[in-house]
């Protein structure tokens, strides 16, 4: 299963358009992991061939682009035969690296990995927009990967007497 974004989905869904909080871009790979996906189709890292004349115009404003950043997240640096990176490109890379950390953690501590991901993402439109929270969970991933502590729920910390249905479920992190 792979996920893919383009101009849509927008609004409350995660995407990497310019006007969206960077947390949306970074959490795309987290969402892929949460739904059991194995990849994210990275549309238009450098699809600027239809817009190259814009970069020669010093008054070009990316926010006026009809796709507001959908068509590329790096810009051409013709003089150096290279590209200018962007905050969105770096943020997406951070999310991809987080995906690898989550995958590594899930091999030995699947409950911990899932709890960390679910503390940020409920579903396709329910997730944090706070960059600080994402950074905090990134640190939690690193700590959990280097800790000798057992996976949550495997040390007897799970309990439920079912007296109040599902409401009495307790899981200590």
């Amino acid at each position: 299963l792979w996920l893919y974004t383009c101009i849509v989905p927008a609004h409350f869904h995660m995407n990497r358009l310019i006007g969206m909080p960077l947390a949306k871009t970074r959490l795309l790979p987290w969402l892929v992991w949460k739904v059991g996906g194995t990849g994210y189709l990275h549309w238009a890292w450098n699809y600027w061939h239809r817009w190259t004349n814009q970069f020669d115009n010093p008054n070009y404003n990316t926010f006026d682009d009809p796709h507001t950043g959908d068509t590329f997240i790096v810009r051409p640096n013709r003089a150096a035969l290279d590209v200018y990176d962007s905050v969105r490109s770096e943020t997406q890379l951070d999310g991809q690296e987080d995906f690898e950390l989550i995958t590594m953690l899930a091999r030995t501590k699947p409950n911990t990995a899932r709890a960390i991901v679910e503390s940020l993402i409920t579903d396709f439109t329910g997730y944090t927009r706070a960059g600080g929270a994402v950074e905090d969970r990134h640190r939690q991933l690193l700590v959990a990967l280097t800790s000798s502590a057992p996976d949550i729920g495997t040390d007897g910390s799970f309990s439920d007497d079912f007296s109040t249905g599902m409401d009495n479920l307790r899981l200590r992190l």
Side-chain angles (χ1 to χ4, degrees), residues 21-37:
L22 286 173
K24 288 186 173 194
T25 300
R26 185 164 183 178
L27 288 176
L28 277 166
W30 291 63
L31 178 64
V32 170
W33 186 89
K34 178 177 172 62
V35 300

Side-chain angles (χ1 to χ4, degrees), residues 48-58 60 78:
W48 57 68
H49 70 87
R50 289 179 48 201
W51 293 274
T52 52
N53 292 337
Q54 295 172 356
F55 299 112
D56 296 328
N57 177 356
Y60 174 65
R78 291 185 187 140

